[in-house]
Amino acid sequence: MTSDLLAPLDLAFWNIESAEHPMHLGALGVFSAHSPTAGAHAADLLAARAAAVPGLRMRIRDVWQPLSFRPLAFGGATREPDPDFDPLHHVRLHAPTADFHADAGRLMERPLERGRPPWEAHVLPGEDGVSFAVLFKFHHALADGLRALALAAAVLDPMDLPERRPRAQAPSGGGLLPDVRRLPDLVRGAVSDVGRALDIGASVALSSIAARSSSAFTSEATGTRRTAGVVIDLDDVHRIRKSEGGTVNDVLIAVVAGALRRWLDERGDGSEGVAPRALIPVSKRRPRTATPQGNRLSGYLIRLPVDDPDPLGRLGTVRTAMDRNKNAGPNRGAGAVALLADHVPPLAHRLGGPLVSQAARLWFDILVTSVPLPSLGLKLGGNPVTEVYPLAPLARGQALAVAVSTYRGQVHYGLVADAEAVPDLDRLAAALTAEVETLITACGS
C-alpha cells in the first residue's frame, strides 16, 4: 500500500488528542466460548489474521516537508505502511476477569501508541470459562465507526456476504484546469459554501443560548474512563415506534433523554429546566475515488427534553427535532460544524488543535451516536458474538458519551464516562432499561 494524506477531519482528530484525552473509539464484543482456552486461541487468531489486513499495517506520520503531490500539505499527516509492523504489539491477551466492562474502562483510558499503527485488540477471558471478550480500539484518524467495523470484521471468521454490484464510474475531468462550462457552477458552489459556513456559525451560537444544561455532563481533564453496557429487546423498540410513530432512532434517543432525567433526579442533581445539547453524528462518506479518503462527518444537534415529565412528550419532542434536522439536511445547522474542517489548511489544524479540543463543551453536552452492524452472526474461532457494545471517544471537558448498535434482534447501548465525574454510571445504565419499560407502559403496548 502507498501513503495517502489524512482527510481534514482525520487530521483534526489526530491533532486534538492528548495523553489525558485520547481520540480512539472502541467496541467490546462478548463471545460465547466453546472451551476455557477459547480466549487464548482467539488472541492467536487475531494476531495471525492482522498480519494479512493491509489497513491494520498503516501508521500515521507527520509531514514537515512539502510533498511533491501536495505542496500545501506541510503540517499535515499521511497514512503509510509500517515497515516494522508486528501484530503482537497490537493484540494482547489478559488475565481472566469477572467484569468485562470494568477492564474495558481501564483499557480505554490508555492512549494508542502514535508511532505504530493506531489500533489494539485486547482479549479478556472470562473467569466463568464459558465466555471471553475482545476490546477493539481504533484511533478516529485511522477509522470511523464503519471503517473500524470493516477492519475488525477482517480478523473475525469469514462471513458469507452477498455479492456487491459494480458501481458505475463517473467520467473523469481529464485536465488540470476546470472545464470553462463548469465555472458558473463552481462560483455558485463557492458562494453556497460561504453561506453554509455563516449558517453553521450562527446555528452554533444560537445552540448555546436558552435551556439549562447540567454539571453532570461536564468534567475536568481527569482522563479516567468507565464503561457500561445495556441490552434491550429490539421488539420492544418496534412496539413503541409502531404505537407512536417516528423511527427506531427517534425511540432510542428518547430513551436516552428519559434515562438522563431519571438518573439526574436520583443522584440529586435535578432535571428541572435541563435540556442538554446532543450531537447526533451523520456520516458523509467520501466516494471511493475521492482524494483524500477518510472521515467526513456532519451531524444533527438537538435539545434532549430531559425536563419533560411526560415520556410520550419526550418522544414527540425528539421526533419533531429530528424531522426538522432531516428536512434541513446534514449540510446545514450547528451539527454540520465538523464539515468546516475541510476548509482549514493542515498547518492550522496542527497549531489550532489544542484550542479546538477545548471547544467541544461549548458546542454540545453529550454525544449520542449509532454504529450499524451486520445482521449476520459474527464469530471468532467458531465462538459466536453474543453482545456488541460500541464505545465512542469522550471529548475534553465532557463527562458522558452514548453509542448504540443493533445486532441480531437486540439493541446494545455502550456508555463511556469520565470515571471521576460519573462514578455511578451503572445507575444510568439501569435507568435506560427502566425507561424502555416506562415508554411501553405509557403507550399501552
Side-chain angles (χ1 to χ4, degrees):
M1 297 183 68
T2 59
S3 63
D4 63 282
L5 280 173
L6 261 62
L9 190 58
D10 295 333
L11 186 61
F13 283 128
W14 188 244
N15 286 317
I16 65 176
E17 179 178 67
S18 66
E20 295 77 19
H21 287 276
M23 290 304 297
H24 55 253
L25 51 88
L28 181 67
V30 179
F31 296 76
S32 176
H34 294 327
S35 73
T37 61
H41 179 55
D44 291 339
L45 282 176
L46 290 172
R49 292 172 178 175
V53 180
L56 296 178
R57 305 176 69 93
M58 303 298 282
R59 67 180 180 181
I60 295 177
R61 183 178 64 85
D62 293 331
V63 175
W64 288 114
Q65 59 184 5
L67 298 177
S68 59
F69 60 97
R70 284 291 296 274
L72 297 180
F74 179 78
T78 64
R79 292 188 194 87
E80 61 179 30
D82 182 359
D84 301 317
F85 176 72
D86 184 347
L88 295 181
H89 290 152
H90 303 266
V91 179
R92 295 160 192 177
L93 177 65
H94 295 261
T97 178
D99 190 337
F100 295 137
H101 281 287
D103 281 25
R106 288 189 289 271
L107 291 169
M108 287 293 286
E109 292 180 7
R110 305 177 188 175
L112 295 165
E113 293 189 46
R114 291 171 71 92
R116 293 174 174 163
W119 69 273
E120 293 173 352
H122 296 270
V123 181
L124 308 169
E127 284 185 350
D128 55 15
V130 297
S131 66
F132 67 91
V134 178
L135 173 67
F136 288 101
K137 293 168 55 178
F138 293 94
H139 197 287
H140 217 307
L142 178 70
D144 62 4
L146 292 174
R147 174 65 174 158
L149 173 62
L151 290 173
V155 292
L156 298 180
D157 293 353
M159 294 185 296
D160 294 326
L161 299 176
E163 293 186 6
R164 299 184 61 174
R165 295 181 179 180
R167 181 180 297 179
Q169 296 293 323
S172 61
L176 297 177
L177 296 177
D179 188 330
V180 293
R181 292 169 296 181
R182 295 185 60 240
L183 284 178
D185 290 335
L186 294 174
V187 173
R188 282 195 293 269
V191 173
S192 176
D193 285 345
V194 172
R196 185 180 304 127
L198 293 174
D199 178 73
I200 291 170
S203 297
V204 170
L206 290 173
S207 72
S208 302
I209 301 174
R212 181 174 78 90
S213 185
S214 170
S215 59
F217 304 115
T218 61
S219 71
E220 297 304 319
T222 71
T224 59
R225 293 292 181 269
R226 187 184 302 273
T227 71
V230 178
V231 181
I232 63 177
D233 195 324
L234 183 59
D235 286 342
D236 288 339
V237 176
H238 281 304
R239 288 164 63 190
I240 299 168
R241 178 189 61 81
K242 290 177 181 177
S243 173
E244 302 301 317
T247 67
V248 166
N249 203 40
D250 294 341
V251 176
L252 297 178
I253 295 171
V255 167
V256 173
L260 290 174
R261 174 182 175 83
R262 187 185 302 264
W263 175 62
L264 289 173
D265 288 342
E266 287 179 353
R267 73 194 324 238
D269 289 336
S271 59
E272 183 178 355
V274 174
R277 299 158 299 177
L279 176 65
I280 317 294
V282 177
S283 177
K284 291 180 61 63
R285 298 183 69 79
R286 301 171 186 271
R288 294 191 178 192
T289 55
T291 301
Q293 284 290 317
N295 288 316
R296 195 167 190 268
L297 294 173
S298 180
Y300 300 140
L301 200 66
I302 71 171
R303 290 276 183 180
L304 293 181
V306 171
D307 55 347
D308 188 342
D310 178 13
L312 296 184
R314 292 193 291 268
L315 176 54
T317 299
V318 168
R319 282 182 54 196
T320 300
M322 289 299 289
D323 287 345
R324 186 185 307 116
N325 275 303
K326 291 171 187 175
N327 289 335
N331 290 332
R332 303 191 72 85
V337 69
L339 295 177
L340 299 180
D342 289 349
H343 306 286
V344 178
L347 188 58
H349 275 296
R350 185 174 298 278
L351 297 177
L355 180 62
V356 172
S357 69
Q358 306 282 349
R361 73 166 72 185
L362 303 177
W363 175 24
F364 63 95
D365 300 301
I366 182 173
L367 178 72
V368 183
T369 185
S370 62
V371 180
L373 292 175
S375 58
L376 299 175
L378 301 171
K379 294 182 180 181
L380 178 56
N383 303 286
V385 174
T386 57
E387 303 165 35
V388 185
Y389 300 98
L391 303 171
L394 194 61
R396 177 184 291 272
Q398 295 183 325
L400 179 66
V402 180
V404 60
S405 285
T406 301
Y407 177 69
R408 296 181 70 79
Q410 293 182 317
V411 176
H412 295 84
Y413 282 97
L415 309 179
V416 178
D418 183 288
E420 294 188 19
V422 188
D424 57 345
L425 187 63
D426 290 343
R427 292 175 65 179
L428 176 57
L432 286 165
T433 302
E435 181 61 17
V436 175
E437 296 300 323
T438 297
L439 278 167
I440 291 174
T441 300
C443 66
S445 297

